[in-house]
Amino acid sequence: MAVLRRKARRAQGVDAPVDDPLDAAQERRVRAVLALGGVPQADLLDGVQQVRLRLLERAARGAEAPRDVSAWAAVVASNLAMDWHRARRRQERIGERLASLRQMEHTSGDDSKVLSLAVAQGLDELPDAQRQVLVLRFYADLPVRGIAEELGIPEGTVKSRLHTAVRALRARLHEDEVV
């Protein structure tokens, strides 16, 4: 209803402050679902904001409001908690891979030189757009969002190019039996 009132006010030329799509009880429920889902206290506010954002995006698309906003918000919060755990596990796996790479670096200097040369050659063979995002992501350590902003392209395009470039580079390294 609040969304409809806001649209009506805008149509009349009145800019009203944005109404909060979650009331206090719904926000408490979302926080509880996130906390019970294992999301740390420090990340709860971000989770609540994500639920709000998804509700606002749903309204902006013109989709009907959920019949029970509280239940819908709880389901979204539960999904966000699962996403948080997946992201954490992914980060842990990346950390483990980096640690193992660091150990390999210290044990064999010749092997790392061969790998560095093979990676450099593989980078040279990639198309410019793929090489650009790969270098910005892994050498300049920019996040996907930062790369998208710098290049003026959507984040999805950055992710797609990264995926394709990494897959091609990995195939090249396996083909040359470097890794």
Side-chain angles (χ1 to χ4, degrees):
M1 289 303 264
V3 174
L4 294 176
R5 283 193 304 262
R6 210 173 323 120
K7 284 183 180 179
R9 288 182 189 143
R10 284 192 186 132
Q12 295 170 352
V14 177
D15 253 348
V18 176
D19 294 330
D20 190 351
L22 294 176
D23 63 26
Q26 292 164 338
E27 182 176 335
R28 282 192 304 277
R29 185 173 186 186
V30 166
R31 281 179 180 272
V33 169
L34 290 168
L36 290 171
V39 176
Q41 188 73 26
D43 293 336
L44 291 181
L45 183 58
D46 287 340
V48 172
Q49 294 293 35
Q50 281 293 320
V51 172
R52 277 191 179 99
L53 178 64
R54 291 189 184 175
L55 191 56
L56 290 170
E57 286 172 341
R58 180 184 172 113
R61 283 193 315 264
E64 288 185 34
R67 283 184 294 183
D68 184 356
V69 174
S70 186
W72 180 90
V75 169
V76 171
S78 177
N79 290 339
L80 286 172
M82 286 189 291
D83 291 346
W84 183 88
H85 286 288
R86 285 185 193 118
R88 193 188 76 202
R89 279 195 302 266
R90 193 169 34 246
Q91 285 300 110
E92 288 171 356
R93 285 194 307 268
I94 289 171
E96 290 168 1
R97 279 192 232 146
L98 287 174
S100 69
L101 286 175
R102 285 189 194 122
Q103 287 176 345
M104 284 177 32
E105 268 182 27
H106 295 297
T107 57
S108 61
D110 290 338
D111 289 345
S112 67
K113 289 178 186 175
V114 170
L115 181 60
S116 295
L117 288 172
V119 168
Q121 186 177 14
L123 282 172
D124 287 342
E125 294 173 3
L126 289 175
D128 291 339
Q130 291 177 7
R131 180 176 46 250
Q132 185 179 37
V133 295
L134 200 69
V135 168
L136 289 172
R137 178 67 187 104
F138 296 109
Y139 288 96
D141 201 29
L142 287 177
V144 170
R145 176 173 282 154
I147 296 169
E149 289 171 1
E150 285 294 320
L151 300 179
I153 58 176
E155 288 182 43
T157 303
V158 173
K159 291 176 185 178
S160 173
R161 288 180 186 173
L162 274 172
H163 174 77
T164 305
V166 167
R167 190 176 58 204
L169 188 57
R170 183 179 292 132
R172 167 69 185 193
L173 295 175
H174 283 289
E175 182 181 294
D176 291 345
E177 296 181 6
V178 177
V179 286

